[in-house]
Amino acid sequence: MENNESTESSTKKSSSSKKERVVVVSTVRTPFVKSFGVFEQETALSLSLRVASEVISKTGVQASDIDECIWGVVIPQTKNANLAREIVLFSGLPTTIAGFTLNKACNSSLQTAEIAADRILLGKNKLVLAGGVEVLSDVPIPFSDEARRFLTKMSRARSFKERLSLIGSVNPKWFLPKPPALAEPFTGLTMGEHAEIMTVKNNVSRARQDELAYKSHINAASAIEAGYLKDEIVPVWTGKDKNIFVDKDNMVRADTSIESMAKLKPVFDKRNGTITAANSSPLTDGAAVALLASESYVKEKKLPYLGYIVDTVTVAVDPNDQLLIGPAYAIPKILKRNNLTKDDIDIFEIHEAFAGQVLSCLDSMNNETFCREKLDSSLFGTIPPSKINIQGGAIAIGHPFGATGARLIGNALRILKRKGGKYAVVAVCAAGGMGMAMLLESK
Ligand SMILES: CC(=O)SCCNC(=O)CCNC(=O)[C@H](O)C(C)(C)COP(=O)(O)OP(=O)(O)OC[C@H]1O[C@@H](n2cnc3c(N)ncnc32)[C@H](O)[C@@H]1OP(=O)(O)O
């Protein structure tokens, strides 16, 4: 595979062997809400505490059986040194539970689950909290480098005269806050600009993007209406006085229409672009966790559970090419590794960073040249839309970067359970040109 380095987990499929298996006992997430809104009083820690304690009480596991807490967050607050360990300590869990925090961009909570799964298979752990969070309403807003240098010099100045001369050199512009950009550090372009590049390269029309976004909303709205999302969501009491009750995702638009979407102006390439507020995932606050265990632990404790993690893969490409194309590499790869074809998969959860990015991935897998040159394989072909994101995706539900992977694990396994399917594949693109796929099996 050209420009495609990969690492693979050791969680290889073993349905028929007697080896240990990794069980998803349950997952829990907060409602996903528009950033800078109803969760403005929340923090990465507060939402993480909510899901961590809920998944423990919901499943009835003994907190003292938890070996480790692994958490993902993409834009961490400077006040959280090691969020995962803080979740353990502030939620009153046994202080013997270790924790570490990682950042693998939008793959973060698939990565926490992969690490947890690998450690369970190695026999090191039996029960692990693997989650992630993003609260864009509460991100660090740093000052410019000039302001930092000035403040450091001021704090080290030895005399009033020295301080006065430093103050004389100040430019007020230095103190304009610099909110974090959703940009790829390697290229300097935003995620949206990279998605624009992909839609042009793959010739994805605005109409197709809007249609996918429309389906995301309609599918999510139907799933909510049917009560399918209730089991995965824990309500949050928020606001200054904790008197605001939030129990639903607040960005799903049951009343959206192709016509209203078509009226929106492009955001990232204002002149020629096709990506709008409607066909992009919105800025979102939320947290999610998957409680993972060894099958032997689950059997010993006679715990109900959702299903199994069978395997995971990570891929990476040159960010200058197609930054968010990871799923087009990761999906064929995980199926090949497990001797499965796309027809064996009942449900695909393909993260919707942007509608144009999902369509670029799907079109690439259905492109002979891409499959030959990039995947070194024959044509992968089309995935029927009836198998993809059937309860909506990030465009409608939202995308708190660190939490999306854990949401998708729970969503895919619950759909399998409800529909009686066997396998699901979750695939998520990520900044840095990375991507992950996870193969799940129902109970
Ligand atoms: C690996 C990865 O996942 S990479 C992806 C990482 N994520 C990102 O980069 C985030 C991308 N998204 C964004 O940056 C933002 O959501 C943006 C810039 C696209 C849009 O932000 P905002 O302008 O704040 O969106 P907002 O929700 O206000 O919508 C703008 C307008 O579109 C309208 N709109 C949005 N969605 C719809 C819809 N489905 N139907 C009809 N109208 C809509 C809104 O009503 C609003 O209209 P108004 O101005 O008349 O009120």
Side-chain angles (χ1 to χ4, degrees):
M1 265 182 292
E2 195 182 281
N3 289 334
N4 180 22
E5 301 142 27
S6 71
T7 54
E8 296 169 5
S9 90
S10 57
T11 54
K12 190 96 175 125
K13 182 178 135 188
S14 58
S15 306
S16 53
S17 78
K18 298 252 176 340
K19 274 193 201 156
E20 189 63 275
R21 300 193 74 192
V22 179
V23 167
V24 180
V25 185
S26 193
T27 69
V28 168
R29 70 174 175 93
T30 64
F32 284 3
V33 306
K34 196 172 164 71
S35 296
F36 321 109
V38 71
F39 280 171
E40 66 175 2
Q41 299 289 331
E42 300 300 325
T43 64
L45 181 61
S46 70
L47 291 188
S48 300
L49 290 176
R50 186 78 186 105
V51 293
S53 21
E54 176 64 18
V55 83
I56 294 167
S57 60
K58 178 186 175 122
T59 52
V61 296
Q62 255 188 308
S64 55
D65 284 348
I66 299 172
D67 300 294
E68 209 166 17
C69 174
I70 313 174
W71 223 256
V73 60
V74 178
I75 308 181
Q77 252 295 2
T78 44
K79 62 195 169 203
N80 299 124
N82 176 2
L83 184 62
R85 177 65 173 154
E86 286 150 31
I87 292 164
V88 171
L89 299 176
F90 282 94
S91 56
L93 288 170
T95 52
T96 45
I97 302 171
F100 68 91
T101 311
L102 61 79
N103 177 358
K104 198 181 179 195
C106 300
N107 284 165
S108 291
S109 56
L110 280 187
Q111 186 61 62
T112 59
E114 182 189 63
I115 294 173
D118 286 353
R119 290 185 185 217
I120 287 167
L121 288 183
L122 286 170
K124 291 181 170 182
N125 290 339
K126 62 187 171 311
L127 189 61
V128 183
L129 286 167
V133 65
E134 215 67 48
V135 181
L136 293 177
S137 299
D138 179 37
V139 291
I141 312 253
F143 288 118
S144 65
D145 288 347
E146 290 89 346
R148 174 183 48 76
R149 278 192 283 269
F150 164 76
L151 291 169
T152 314
K153 279 183 193 157
M154 276 295 274
S155 70
R156 297 171 67 89
R158 299 220 171 130
S159 65
F160 180 70
K161 197 175 155 202
E162 210 178 321
R163 274 189 214 110
L164 212 58
S165 107
L166 279 167
I167 289 168
S169 70
V170 164
N171 181 340
K173 277 192 191 156
W174 296 349
F175 292 91
L176 288 176
K178 289 170 76 87
L182 299 181
E184 169 58 42
F186 188 61
T187 62
L189 300 180
T190 63
M191 297 295 124
E193 286 167 334
H194 273 287
E196 282 286 7
I197 292 171
M198 291 173 71
T199 57
V200 171
K201 183 158 188 164
N202 297 293
N203 203 17
V204 178
S205 69
R206 164 82 182 263
R208 286 180 70 208
Q209 294 175 54
D210 285 355
E211 194 189 330
L212 188 145
Y214 173 76
K215 279 194 187 141
S216 185
H217 283 279
I218 296 307
N219 288 345
S222 313
I224 291 167
E225 177 73 21
Y228 296 152
L229 304 192
K230 269 194 183 147
D231 187 46
E232 67 186 55
I233 296 181
V234 59
V236 174
W237 285 264
T238 189
K240 269 193 184 141
D241 303 320
K242 298 281 172 214
N243 58 352
I244 303 171
F245 181 70
V246 183
D247 64 345
K248 285 188 190 70
D249 303 323
N250 75 0
M251 290 175 292
V252 179
R253 295 174 182 240
D255 61 348
T256 192
S257 66
I258 296 278
E259 294 71 30
S260 63
M261 286 184 182
K263 287 185 189 139
L264 298 177
K265 294 214 161 69
V267 186
F268 302 104
D269 175 354
K270 292 193 183 340
R271 186 175 290 187
N272 301 312
T274 52
I275 299 185
T276 67
N279 60 38
S280 308
S281 59
L283 302 175
T284 310
D285 295 339
V289 62
L291 181 67
L292 306 184
S294 66
E295 187 174 35
S296 44
Y297 174 83
V298 164
K299 288 203 164 142
E300 183 198 319
K301 301 287 177 184
K302 299 190 174 53
L303 291 174
Y305 61 97
L306 290 176
Y308 299 92
I309 293 180
V310 180
D311 195 14
T312 48
V313 298
T314 287
V315 297
V317 301
D318 180 350
N320 285 307
D321 183 17
Q322 298 196 66
L323 187 81
L324 306 173
I325 196 74
Y329 291 83
I331 294 171
K333 183 178 176 115
I334 200 160
L335 295 187
K336 192 171 174 198
R337 261 169 64 80
N338 289 278
N339 302 318
L340 294 169
T341 72
K342 62 183 166 50
D343 300 331
D344 296 316
I345 307 302
D346 302 286
I347 290 298
F348 287 86
E349 286 291 328
I350 305 177
H351 165 54
E352 296 170 353
F354 301 91
Q357 159 269 323
V358 176
L359 291 165
S360 294
C361 290
L362 294 173
D363 288 1
S364 297
M365 287 186 283
N366 194 30
N367 178 305
E368 260 174 9
T369 312
F370 178 89
C371 293
R372 189 179 58 251
E373 291 181 0
K374 306 288 188 182
L375 308 179
D376 194 18
S377 79
S378 55
L379 185 71
F380 182 81
T382 52
I383 300 174
S386 59
K387 289 185 175 183
I388 305 172
N389 301 355
I390 64 168
Q391 293 188 172
I395 288 173
I397 291 170
H399 173 38
F401 312 139
T404 282
R407 175 185 84 79
L408 293 176
I409 294 171
N411 193 50
L413 283 173
R414 286 183 177 90
I415 297 174
L416 280 184
K417 194 172 166 189
R418 184 164 57 75
K419 293 183 87 70
K422 184 165 189 198
Y423 290 117
V425 167
V426 167
V428 182
C429 58
M434 298 182 293
M436 281 187 81
M438 178 177 279
L439 177 64
L440 299 162
E441 188 177 334
S442 62
K443 215 173 139 172

